[in-house]
Amino acid sequence: MRQLYIAGNWKMNKTPSEAALFAKELAEKAADAKVKVMVAPTFVCLPAVVEALKGSRVIVAAQNVNDHEGGAYTGEVSCDMLSDIGVKTVILGHSERRQYYGETDEFINAKVLFALKKGFDIVLCVGETLSERESGRLREVLGRQVKVGLSGLSAEDMAHVTIAYEPVWAIGTGKTATPADAEDAHAFIRSVVAGIFGSDVAENTIIQYGGSVKSGNVRELMAQKDIDGALVGGASLTLDQFLPIIHCVD
Ligand code: PEP
């Protein structure tokens, strides 16, 4: 039985003091949620959010990490730096990193492998653009992103990997995939995971949906067989919107 996993990706929003205030209130109000909860602040907010969430069940994740031990990588942050402040979860391959920072499947895979070696849990994002979907390339694109992103992983590694299916055209646009379209993509992703690691691993892999998830559409999405949670952007920025999402199965 897969436990629902709801994550908030704050992107480049909130100062450290705003993030800490939010996190303190979230810790209280998420205490009785039945789902697994995570928030991903920016790097500079991480120490304040870790402190604010100490003792709570809310996981703190980074939005990215470098694939080297350390050294001459200006502007980057290493796994050891994150571990040192108590962060052991990272989102990798978000479409904004693919789109604006040129991250390829191979580069994302290098980060996945390195972060796993460092004992991290990963949320690996995949998803097609509108033109890829409209030209009938949905399965080709998702298949490649999943296969290359997870290349070199063992079945045991998959216990530390969550996949987030985020159709790029639905991110921050207010457009959501229909529950049926999302379910179709999730079932396909699960079949790709089964093809690589076997059906037991695939059955246990959490696959989140992301793309304009809100309190008004979350229940219908979560009711789909292969949708095991959500990666939420805009609606994770205010408690008014995020709390009903994490309490969607209460
Ligand atoms: C995201 O950034 O991962 C996301 C899904 O954003 P939004 O919920 O705002 O569409």
Side-chain angles (χ1 to χ4, degrees), residues 9 11 94 96 166 170-172 210-213 231-234:
N9 172 16
K11 310 191 184 189
H94 191 278
E96 285 150 16
E166 300 204 303
I171 296 181
S212 299
V213 173
L231 181 53
V232 185

